Amino acid sequence: MTRKPADEPKPLEWNPPDRRELVGVREDIAESTANALVHANTVQNLAQGRGTVTLTGVDPEIAASVLLVEERRRLKSARLWAMTEAMTQVSIAAGRKLPSWEVRPEDVPSPCGLMMFDTPIGYYRADPPGEASQMVSIVAVSWGPTRIVETPANHLWVTFWSLTHHEIGIRLLRSNGYRLRDARRLQHSMGDFTWDNEVLLAYNEAEVSVINSHGETEAVDPSNKHLAANTTIEWIQTVRAAWLMMKRDAKRPIAEVEELPLSKTERKQLQRRGYNDDPVRVVGLHQDRRPRASRERESGYTVTVRSHVTGHVRWQPYPSKGVIEPIWIEEHVRGPKDAPWSQQKTTVTVVDRPPGGRPPVNRK
């Protein structure tokens, strides 16, 4: 009998929380970092070398406590961001075409943040020992400073959060002798979101810390694709693209931000518990960002056929500010309305510099 290949596992269904529920979600995630089982799992992961960023030469018990305390501090100070599905999709597409991997302090929208996406920004397949394969969904990201490096002001810690597969944890607890009721209670006490992976970014540098194919942590240039495979590179590019498009000073803004103020009672409660009491900010596509009509190329060259141009990133100079920033050019139709359609689809993937290179300055 020919054996059929196993079906690809399906990810857990993702129902993003209501915008105003992000206040409670942040508190749940922060409290989970003080959970005994979360601490034990973190210790085990660090002991087995499964952390992307680790404390060299530090006992896993102590290292886990340090990392979890830092994450809890960042979450309590985090400004809350909710990304709509449309904005998430544009961020994913733009992130794939960013021409560099360099992050600057002015790109980050808040010193600490927790950003929840209406649709997952990434998936990967996990094969835990003794368990069926599962698809892990990355649905949130948090960021902020870290004190584990010698130069904290020059670094940004980014944590990715996935949906928790509670059924796997319950089976594991049951196998260790817990009754079903107790196993469910303990498992769900860990929260619905799991600290999945992390990235340590150095400002104004095109390198990030990742785990290579040998399981070793090292700083790499993500433009070297064989080193960046199976890491968080694509996720951080999605987040960076979202940050860049959220800038309010853009001439043609891509994103618009709506603030959902908290009640006076909510703010007092948050202040009493040591949490950031800023409004929840919902980030969506700007109402004026619609597919643009056909156009002619500048510099006097007339386009004689119509063609589709895929979305891409372009380096845009701002002489008044003395900077050059990446902007997202949406998919559009190029050419006169009455012209015949081209047989080829125009695909723009890299403009001005190859991936990993710096933006052009004075055409050099």
Side-chain angles (χ1 to χ4, degrees):
M1 179 184 297
T2 302
R3 191 173 183 180
K4 294 181 179 180
D7 293 335
E8 187 72 14
K10 294 182 179 180
L12 294 175
E13 183 179 0
W14 171 226
N15 294 310
D18 182 83
R19 316 300 190 198
R20 295 186 181 276
E21 291 178 355
L22 279 182
V23 175
V25 169
R26 175 186 56 188
E27 191 166 353
D28 289 344
I29 298 177
E31 289 180 355
S32 74
T33 61
N35 183 281
L37 285 178
V38 171
H39 181 270
N41 288 341
T42 305
V43 171
Q44 184 178 16
N45 287 333
L46 292 175
Q48 296 176 356
R50 291 203 295 262
T52 300
V53 184
T54 58
L55 302 179
T56 305
V58 179
D59 181 87
E61 287 274 353
I62 298 176
S65 297
V66 171
L67 295 179
L68 289 170
V69 166
E70 279 212 335
E71 186 62 41
R72 184 159 61 254
R73 186 188 71 246
R74 287 189 290 266
L75 287 167
K76 297 186 77 168
S77 301
R79 178 174 290 176
L80 300 173
W81 306 88
M83 303 292 287
T84 66
E85 182 173 358
M87 192 65 204
T88 301
Q89 295 294 353
V90 170
S91 299
I92 293 172
R96 291 170 180 163
K97 297 180 180 181
L98 281 178
S100 81
W101 285 264
E102 182 178 344
V103 63
R104 301 170 297 177
E106 59 267 27
D107 296 338
V108 186
S110 58
C112 293
L114 173 63
M115 182 178 287
M116 194 75 63
F117 300 93
D118 270 8
T119 187
I121 64 171
Y123 300 92
Y124 67 90
R125 176 171 173 161
D127 297 292
E131 292 284 348
S133 299
Q134 57 182 273
M135 289 299 293
V136 179
S137 307
I138 305 300
V139 297
V141 62
S142 59
W143 64 85
T146 177
R147 299 172 184 168
I148 69 171
V149 292
E150 294 182 0
T151 55
N154 296 334
H155 290 82
L156 181 71
W157 182 286
V158 180
T159 303
F160 295 99
W161 298 88
S162 62
L163 281 177
T164 302
H165 284 254
H166 285 300
E167 73 283 356
I168 294 178
I170 292 173
R171 286 198 295 267
L172 180 61
L173 290 170
R174 290 275 287 160
S175 67
N176 287 324
Y178 285 89
R179 295 183 302 173
L180 179 59
R181 179 181 178 182
D182 294 335
R184 285 175 174 169
R185 177 179 55 80
L186 286 172
Q187 175 60 35
H188 286 281
S189 72
M190 298 173 66
D192 295 326
F193 301 93
T194 298
W195 179 338
D196 188 273
N197 216 314
E198 66 278 345
V199 173
L200 183 61
L201 297 175
Y203 286 126
N204 303 313
E205 293 184 13
E207 290 188 340
V208 296
S209 296
V210 300
I211 291 182
N212 63 22
S213 57
H214 303 292
E216 302 166 339
T217 302
E218 61 178 294
V220 303
D221 178 353
S223 62
N224 193 337
K225 293 295 186 181
H226 76 275
L227 283 179
N230 301 321
T231 67
T232 56
I233 297 302
E234 289 189 1
W235 306 342
I236 194 61
Q237 289 298 77
T238 294
V239 173
R240 285 192 54 236
W243 289 345
L244 291 170
M245 290 186 289
M246 287 162 55
K247 289 190 172 183
R248 293 177 179 268
D249 57 353
K251 291 184 177 180
R252 288 193 71 237
I254 297 175
E256 60 182 9
V257 180
E258 176 190 3
E259 292 189 353
L260 302 179
L262 305 179
S263 68
K264 188 175 181 180
T265 300
E266 287 177 310
R267 292 177 56 198
K268 285 186 176 180
Q269 291 175 345
L270 290 171
Q271 292 170 3
R272 187 168 60 251
R273 295 195 293 267
Y275 283 88
N276 186 319
D277 65 342
D278 285 351
V280 176
R281 288 166 168 81
V282 181
V283 185
L285 281 179
H286 194 277
Q287 60 181 353
D288 294 333
R289 299 301 293 188
R290 302 183 181 93
R292 287 188 285 176
S294 50
R295 63 179 185 179
E296 292 186 352
R297 289 182 58 181
E298 299 177 358
S299 73
Y301 178 77
T302 301
V303 179
T304 58
V305 295
R306 301 189 77 191
S307 60
H308 289 286
V309 179
T310 59
H312 61 281
V313 172
R314 183 181 74 198
W315 285 103
Q316 177 67 43
Y318 293 94
S320 61
K321 297 188 294 183
V323 299
I324 300 176
E325 296 183 347
I327 62 173
W328 175 247
I329 306 299
E330 294 175 344
E331 183 171 353
H332 62 274
V333 175
R334 183 175 65 184
K337 292 182 179 180
D338 57 350
W341 282 96
S342 170
Q343 299 299 313
Q344 296 182 342
K345 184 173 183 178
T346 303
T347 303
V348 182
T349 55
V350 177
V351 177
D352 295 329
R353 280 293 185 272
R358 63 171 176 81
V361 178
N362 296 327
R363 297 185 179 274
K364 297 181 180 180

